[in-house]
Amino acid sequence: MKSSLTVTHRGVCGRAVSCWDISSAVANGDVTFDRKKLTEGTVAAINCDSGYTLKGASSLRCVGGMWDDTLPTCTQNSDRYEPLSLVSCWDISSAVANGDVTFDRKKLTEGTVATINCDSGYTLKGASSLRCVGGNWDKTLPSCTQNRVTCWDISSAVANGDVTFDRKKLREGTVATINCDSGYTLKGASSLRCVGGNWDTTLPTCTQDSDEPLAFITW
């Protein structure tokens, strides 16, 4: 009788193979595992933060020391959200009449500061600086109003002459016209303009005409 040969294969024991930790590998998303150790068969579930959409697999399984699918990503919902760094405020560089607007950077994105200064002869009414917040300036746009500066009354300042004005109040831009009395000649400008609270030319004078008779030359 023939004898039978029985061969027994011994199993090979080895250390459990683990997959790499992807807990912080998905930007703007969260990764959770169904067990503490990332060994064979572990399942990783991926969820995106609010305002983001998952692109790729929502779950991965650890197989032979590797995750069985490509790592997904979380992309921002462009139709609902836009990064604040890309949101711009409207250009107010020429929005303040009789004033000047400067910015602390070239692009009017989040956090940009606009500084407003008025031209000479004008006073700022409102905030002197504005900040771009969420696509809007954080304060109402200021204005530059003309200073109510008046020039001094020269109506009786020209002896032997008469001064008339083109308006009642001697404010910015008022024109004074000077005419001398009969027998007097004007020395200086015949008109003056009120500029910044002062007349723009030296006050003229009216000098008497010479009353000496002309000398006759005899031969």
Side-chain angles (χ1 to χ4, degrees):
M1 183 177 182
K2 293 181 180 180
S3 61
S4 61
L5 179 64
T6 301
V7 179
T8 303
H9 294 279
R10 295 184 179 180
V12 177
C13 295
R15 196 170 53 178
V17 178
S18 296
C19 286
W20 62 285
D21 187 355
I22 56 173
S23 58
S24 59
V26 180
N28 304 305
D30 179 62
V31 182
T32 56
F33 306 103
D34 65 349
R35 64 194 71 179
K36 290 184 177 180
K37 293 184 178 181
L38 308 183
T39 52
E40 185 77 9
T42 298
V43 174
I46 298 94
N47 291 289
C48 291
D49 298 337
S50 176
Y52 291 80
T53 300
L54 186 68
K55 299 294 183 182
S58 60
S59 64
L60 288 76
R61 182 181 296 275
C62 181
V63 178
M66 302 288 291
W67 296 107
D68 66 347
D69 208 334
T70 303
L71 195 66
T73 59
C74 292
T75 58
Q76 193 170 30
N77 301 334
S78 59
D79 58 334
R80 293 179 55 195
Y81 300 91
E82 189 173 1
L84 284 177
S85 60
L86 300 180
V87 176
S88 297
C89 284
W90 62 285
D91 187 355
I92 56 173
S93 57
S94 59
V96 180
N98 305 303
D100 179 62
V101 183
T102 56
F103 306 103
D104 65 347
R105 63 194 74 178
K106 289 184 177 180
K107 293 185 178 180
L108 308 183
T109 50
E110 183 76 9
T112 299
V113 174
T115 302
I116 299 93
N117 291 289
C118 291
D119 297 339
S120 177
Y122 291 81
T123 299
L124 186 69
K125 298 294 183 182
S128 61
S129 64
L130 289 75
R131 183 180 295 274
C132 181
V133 179
N136 291 294
W137 296 107
D138 65 346
K139 298 183 186 71
T140 304
L141 196 67
S143 60
C144 292
T145 58
Q146 191 173 30
N147 298 335
R148 293 294 183 180
V149 178
T150 57
C151 286
W152 62 284
D153 187 355
I154 57 174
S155 57
S156 58
V158 181
N160 305 304
D162 178 62
V163 182
T164 57
F165 307 102
D166 65 347
R167 63 195 73 178
K168 290 184 178 181
K169 294 184 177 180
L170 308 183
R171 292 178 177 168
E172 186 79 8
T174 299
V175 175
T177 302
I178 299 93
N179 290 288
C180 292
D181 298 339
S182 177
Y184 290 83
T185 300
L186 186 69
K187 299 294 184 181
S190 61
S191 66
L192 291 75
R193 182 180 294 273
C194 180
V195 178
N198 292 293
W199 297 107
D200 64 346
T201 307
T202 304
L203 197 66
T205 59
C206 291
T207 59
Q208 190 172 29
D209 297 338
S210 174
D211 55 358
E212 294 180 5
L214 292 174
F216 292 97
I217 302 174
T218 59
W219 298 94

